[in-house]
């Protein structure tokens, strides 16, 4: 399984011959538009920096909303959450997607705006790789992100939705999150053939792909 970050909440997940693109953004966000042709596109919520399916090349299936989904042989579970701490009154709803690729369970939290409830933790279930927003303002901040990591207890943690030189949205950089962990790796992309649950939790910051 290969995971490439294109900036913000947009990742390309590749495995079993299938390409999945999460939360595509439009050009106003500041990052280069991904030049990929996915098989599946997931949309966590209907904001321009997460639902720009019109900017994606090729023919693909779009997955939105809570419930059980199956596309191109990939099982995808959508879990209902909110974009804020007020039950969606400020910014609406958000869907957490749990995808199983090559036996690895990946949870993409979208623009999660609150610490999870026990019921949501149970519905999300076991997670190997967690893609978690950490920049605050429009999502959980660094402190709440740590709480969510502790709730879901993944083996691999990949922060997203934070300020970078390309990002034009006013959110915090990743350092506020990383200071909570003694060791964090930086990689151009993430490749996994499996997950060792007996090892130390891995916090990995990915470079955003700029071509």
């Amino acid at each position: 399984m290969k995971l490439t970050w294109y900036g913000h909440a947009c990742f390309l997940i590749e495995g079993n011959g299938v390409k999945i693109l999460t939360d595509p953004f439009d050009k106003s966000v500041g990052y280069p538009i991904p030049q990929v042709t996915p098989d599946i596109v997931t949309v966590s919520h209907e904001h321009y920096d997460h639902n720009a399916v019109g900017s994606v090349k090729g023919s693909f299936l779009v997955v939105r909303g809570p419930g059980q989904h199956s596309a191109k042989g990939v099982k995808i579970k959508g879990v209902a959450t909110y974009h804020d701490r007020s039950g969606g009154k400020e910014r609406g709803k958000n869907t957490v997607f749990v995808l199983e690729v090559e036996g690895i369970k990946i949870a993409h939290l979208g623009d999660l705006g609150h610490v999870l409830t026990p019921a949501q933790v149970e519905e999300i279930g076991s997670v190997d790789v967690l893609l978690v927003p950490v920049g605050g303002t429009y999502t959980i901040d660094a402190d709440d992100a740590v709480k969510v990591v502790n709730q879901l207890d993944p083996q691999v943690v990949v922060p997203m939705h934070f300020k970078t030189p390309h990002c034009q949205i006013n959110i915090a950089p990743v350092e506020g999150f990383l200071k909570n962990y003694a060791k964090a790796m930086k990689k151009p992309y993430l490749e996994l053939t499996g997950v060792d649950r007996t090892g130390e939790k891995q916090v990995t910051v990915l470079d955003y792909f700029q071509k």
Side-chain angles (χ1 to χ4, degrees):
M1 190 276 293
K2 182 178 180 180
L3 189 70
T4 305
W5 186 43
Y6 284 89
H8 217 44
C10 185
F11 293 86
L12 182 67
I13 303 167
E14 301 174 84
N16 289 333
V18 178
K19 297 180 179 180
I20 306 161
L21 191 72
T22 67
D23 281 14
F25 47 76
D26 71 15
K27 62 182 181 181
S28 68
V29 176
Y31 296 104
I33 299 298
Q35 301 300 304
V36 297
T37 53
D39 301 293
I40 303 166
V41 175
T42 62
V43 175
S44 66
H45 65 289
E46 301 302 330
H47 289 168
Y48 72 95
D49 53 336
H50 293 261
N51 74 344
V53 295
S55 69
V56 182
K57 293 183 175 182
S59 177
F60 47 85
L61 298 171
V62 180
V63 175
R64 289 179 162 97
Q68 298 288 343
H69 308 272
S70 181
K72 300 287 185 178
V74 179
K75 293 180 181 179
I76 303 173
K77 176 167 62 175
V79 178
T81 58
Y82 296 105
H83 201 328
D84 53 56
R85 292 189 179 93
S86 307
K89 293 178 182 178
E90 298 172 55
R91 300 188 186 93
K93 297 179 180 180
N94 176 72
T95 303
V96 168
F97 285 114
V98 182
L99 310 93
E100 188 167 348
V101 179
E102 295 186 352
I104 298 171
K105 290 186 177 180
I106 307 157
H108 183 284
L109 299 186
D111 265 10
L112 181 68
H114 56 91
V115 174
L116 297 167
T117 66
Q120 289 165 338
V121 171
E122 183 176 358
E123 189 174 0
I124 291 169
S126 175
V127 172
D128 298 313
V129 180
L130 182 64
L131 312 179
V132 55
V134 302
T137 306
Y138 306 104
T139 69
I140 52 175
D141 59 16
D143 291 340
D144 280 349
V146 171
K147 294 176 184 177
V148 173
V149 169
N150 292 338
Q151 286 181 303
L152 295 176
D153 191 28
Q155 187 61 30
V156 180
V157 179
V158 180
M160 65 175 185
H161 210 280
F162 55 83
K163 187 71 172 177
T164 70
H166 272 84
C167 182
Q168 298 300 306
I169 296 176
N170 185 27
I171 50 181
V174 72
E175 285 75 16
F177 175 73
L178 296 182
K179 71 180 182 181
N180 295 281
Y181 299 93
K183 182 172 67 174
M185 295 180 286
K186 191 165 187 178
K187 294 184 176 182
Y189 53 83
L190 185 66
E191 281 189 317
L192 296 172
T193 55
V195 176
D196 179 9
R197 298 293 299 186
T198 65
E200 184 181 355
K201 190 182 303 295
Q202 300 175 31
V203 178
T204 302
V205 181
L206 299 182
D207 295 324
Y208 51 92
F209 193 77
Q210 299 183 44
K211 295 181 181 180

